[in-house]
Amino acid sequence: PEAVRYYERVGVIPPAARGGAGRYRRYTAGDAERLRFVRRARALGFSLDEVRELLAVASGDPGGPCGDVDRIARAALAQVEAKLAELAALRAELAA
């Protein structure tokens, strides 16, 4: 629940509708899908700024260019490959 409130505060997800005299948050199926996307993207190592960009592209024209998504994915892949290289070097050093 704290992460959901944080994502609302920083604008990654829209504020939830309120019910029960404003005490309870009410989420739609679309809100739940967006939260799952955010959680998965964060688990894959995307920053909140990157998640915002991906969500902005997803909410735009479905037939629009995919250049932004491609750029974000390639940057993430480069980070993963750099981390793998660091870990391989560390492994070799520890094995020696």
Side-chain angles (χ1 to χ4, degrees):
E2 192 59 36
V4 174
R5 288 190 289 270
Y6 172 73
Y7 291 146
E8 285 180 1
R9 280 194 309 272
V10 299
V12 174
I13 62 170
R18 296 293 183 140
R23 294 178 47 200
Y24 303 102
R25 288 177 168 84
R26 292 184 182 233
Y27 297 98
T28 65
D31 294 332
E33 183 178 332
R34 189 174 178 107
L35 283 169
R36 280 190 293 276
F37 176 84
V38 171
R39 182 180 61 194
R40 179 80 172 128
R42 296 289 289 152
L44 290 171
F46 289 98
S47 71
L48 280 179
D49 288 335
E50 291 167 331
V51 171
R52 276 191 201 96
E53 285 185 69
L54 290 169
L55 288 169
V57 170
S59 66
D61 177 18
C66 297
D68 289 338
V69 173
D70 187 56
R71 177 184 50 79
I72 294 167
R74 288 184 187 278
L77 179 60
Q79 289 174 350
V80 167
E81 288 174 344
K83 185 66 172 179
L84 285 172
E86 288 175 17
L87 289 172
L90 176 61
R91 181 179 187 193
E93 196 173 313
L94 289 172

